[in-house]
């Protein structure tokens, strides 16, 4: 039985994906179960986090968001089994029941982004009805789920679009967004647009998709459409929450002073924290269950690409790792 793994070069830069034969491991430990995988979603692998956690291996398993018989869930970061194989072994504490009306691909394709959205909006920024939320890159697979959760909680949502196709996608969403800010050509000023929409008060919650730390001349090409950190601080309201995915965020003393005057907070979105400590296990299982219930109720409507067969997983994973996909990629068995 084959499974998909990734191998990193000695320079720790280039990643290659390979299929390897693996044995059918018997279930011997307590509380472990075998799962027949029906679908597995593909997500970018954070190789830097694996290195910092001393979890590097010659071959690391690929695919952690799975749906199958009888259960589904997110494999822990230290799982030895890839989700991209027909049978795997996993501890029952990382699994949650799939509602009957939810398909395998929907379950696998929503579970991770649902967890990220809950972590950002519920646990890190305490979203409540009436709040104004700015969700950057809302047409992405994660951004769409975050918008749907924010609307469900009664928030007013603003989002940004990085292309004409993304803008049209966001404008079709129901409930409608308060404003879609097109940042494609760089002529629209993000902070001014948000302050105009909020009557000068600023937004209560910002969920970014990365930020620029320096001038455009000093940033790589893939970051040129991102807002500068000063724009985020400017558009943030009093008592606001900035949830960032920028793991190397640097705040200068003037930045910190401005945040201090606003009584604002900065939180880092790392959804792996749920799997790094057993203390949060109860909350984590409740979170997984809630994501599945909202998917079953139609509150979450994921942006999924057409399911792909296992033999195409290697090529698709290379695209995902380069962050070149828009819709969620799911392998169907």
């Amino acid at each position: 039985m084959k499974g998909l793994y990734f191998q990193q070069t000695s320079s720790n830069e280039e990643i290659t994906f390979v299929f390897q034969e693996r044995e059918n491991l018997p279930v011997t430990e307590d509380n472990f179960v075998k799962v027949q995988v029906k679908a597995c979603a593909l997500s970018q692998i954070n190789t830097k986090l694996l290195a910092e956690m001393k979890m590097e291996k010659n071959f690391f398993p690929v695919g952690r968001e799975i749906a199958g018989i009888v259960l589904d869930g997110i494999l822990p970061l230290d799982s030895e089994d890839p989700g991209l194989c027909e049978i795997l072994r996993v501890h029952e504490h990382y699994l949650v029941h799939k509602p009957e009306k939810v398909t395998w691909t929907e379950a696998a394709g929503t579970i991770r982004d649902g967890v990220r959205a809950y972590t950002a909006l519920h646990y890190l920024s305490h979203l409540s009805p009436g709040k104004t939320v700015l969700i950057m890159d809302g047409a992405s697979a994660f951004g769409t789920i975050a918008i749907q959760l924010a609307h469900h909680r009664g928030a007013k949502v603003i989002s940004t679009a990085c292309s004409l196709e993304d803008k049209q996608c966001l404008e079709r969403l129901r409930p409608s967004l308060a404003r879609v800010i097109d940042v494609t050509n760089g002529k629209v000023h993000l902070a001014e647009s948000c302050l105009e929409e909020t009557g000068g008060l600023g937004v209560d919650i910002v969920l970014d998709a990365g930020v620029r730390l320096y001038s455009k001349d000093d940033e790589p090409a893939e970051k040129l459409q991102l807002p500068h950190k000063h724009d985020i601080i400017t558009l943030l309201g009093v008592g606001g929450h900035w949830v960032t995915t920028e793991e190397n965020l640097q705040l200068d003393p003037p930045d910190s002073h401005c945040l201090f005057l606003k009584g604002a907070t900065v939180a880092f979105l790392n959804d792996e924290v749920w799997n790094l400590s057993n203390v949060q296990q109860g909350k984590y299982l409740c979170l997984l269950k809630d994501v599945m219930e909202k998917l079953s109720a139609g509150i979450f409507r994921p942006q999924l690409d057409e399911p792909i067969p296992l033999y195409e997983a290697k090529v698709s994973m290379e695209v995902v790792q380069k962050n070149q996909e828009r819709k969620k990629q799911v392998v169907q068995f």
Side-chain angles (χ1 to χ4, degrees), residues 213-286:
L213 304 179
Y214 316 107
S215 65
K216 289 189 175 181
D217 295 335
D218 299 324
E219 292 280 13
E222 62 268 18
K223 279 197 153 190
L224 294 183
Q225 283 192 337
L226 296 177
H228 196 278
K229 60 179 179 179
H230 294 153
D231 295 330
I232 301 295
I233 295 173
T234 300
L235 62 85
L236 199 61
V238 173
H241 302 279
W242 175 12
V243 181
T244 182
T245 58
E246 185 62 54
E247 59 186 45
N248 296 315
L249 179 67
Q250 298 177 19
L251 295 178
D252 300 320
D255 301 329
S256 298
H257 184 65
C258 187
L259 290 169
F260 166 76
L261 292 177
K262 292 185 176 186
T265 63
V266 179
F268 292 87
L269 177 57
N270 175 15
D271 49 300
E272 298 294 354
V273 295
W274 297 105
N275 286 321
L276 297 179
S277 172
N278 292 330
V279 175
Q280 304 290 341
Q281 193 66 49
K283 287 183 179 180
Y284 180 56
L285 288 175
C286 288

Side-chain angles (χ1 to χ4, degrees), residues 69-304:
I69 301 173
V70 171
L71 306 159
D72 84 309
I74 301 179
L75 299 185
L77 194 59
D78 59 353
S79 173
E80 296 181 0
D81 295 340
L84 288 169
C85 63
E86 295 179 0
I87 303 291
L88 59 82
R89 183 185 54 165
V90 62
H91 197 286
E92 63 182 359
H93 287 172
Y94 295 104
L95 302 172
V96 64
H97 284 284
K98 179 185 76 67
E100 186 176 350
K101 63 188 296 186
V102 173
T103 67
W104 302 115
T105 54
E106 287 173 340
T110 308
I111 190 73
R112 186 185 185 93
D113 289 330
V115 168
R116 294 191 75 207
Y118 258 94
T119 303
L121 298 177
H122 181 70
Y123 290 99
L124 296 180
S125 56
H126 312 292
L127 178 64
S128 59
K131 298 287 187 181
T132 303
V133 184
L134 169 63
I135 296 176
M136 308 293 295
D137 194 15
S140 65
F142 166 61
T144 302
I145 295 296
I147 288 172
Q148 292 164 358
L149 179 60
H151 272 149
H152 177 67
R153 293 291 180 89
K156 174 182 177 181
V157 183
I158 304 170
S159 188
T160 61
C162 302
S163 67
L164 177 60
E165 184 180 359
D166 286 354
K167 184 173 184 288
Q168 293 172 342
C169 174
L170 291 172
E171 289 173 343
R172 289 194 298 266
L173 291 179
R174 294 294 181 270
S176 301
L177 297 172
R179 178 176 291 200
V180 177
I181 304 172
D182 189 352
V183 296
T184 306
N185 54 23
K187 295 181 180 179
V188 176
H189 197 282
L190 178 64
E192 289 181 0
S193 298
C194 289
L195 290 172
E196 178 184 336
E197 183 63 37
T198 59
L201 297 177
V203 303
D204 300 298
I205 298 170
V206 177
L207 175 52
D208 71 33
V211 294
R212 284 188 294 112
L213 304 179
Y214 316 107
S215 65
K216 289 189 175 181
D217 295 335
D218 299 324
E219 292 280 13
E222 62 268 18
K223 279 197 153 190
L224 294 183
Q225 283 192 337
L226 296 177
H228 196 278
K229 60 179 179 179
H230 294 153
D231 295 330
I232 301 295
I233 295 173
T234 300
L235 62 85
L236 199 61
V238 173
H241 302 279
W242 175 12
V243 181
T244 182
T245 58
E246 185 62 54
E247 59 186 45
N248 296 315
L249 179 67
Q250 298 177 19
L251 295 178
D252 300 320
D255 301 329
S256 298
H257 184 65
C258 187
L259 290 169
F260 166 76
L261 292 177
K262 292 185 176 186
T265 63
V266 179
F268 292 87
L269 177 57
N270 175 15
D271 49 300
E272 298 294 354
V273 295
W274 297 105
N275 286 321
L276 297 179
S277 172
N278 292 330
V279 175
Q280 304 290 341
Q281 193 66 49
K283 287 183 179 180
Y284 180 56
L285 288 175
C286 288
L287 194 157
L288 293 176
K289 182 180 178 182
D290 207 21
V291 170
M292 285 296 103
E293 288 177 350
K294 282 182 170 47
L295 180 60
S296 178
I299 296 168
F300 287 157
R301 301 175 302 281
Q303 298 273 9
L304 303 180

Side-chain angles (χ1 to χ4, degrees), residues 27-48:
V27 181
T28 54
E29 298 96 333
D30 291 339
N31 302 317
F32 273 76
V33 296
K34 274 187 178 180
V35 177
Q36 181 183 357
V37 180
K38 291 293 187 179
C40 177
L42 305 180
S43 293
Q44 203 172 27
I45 297 168
N46 191 337
T47 55
K48 185 177 179 181

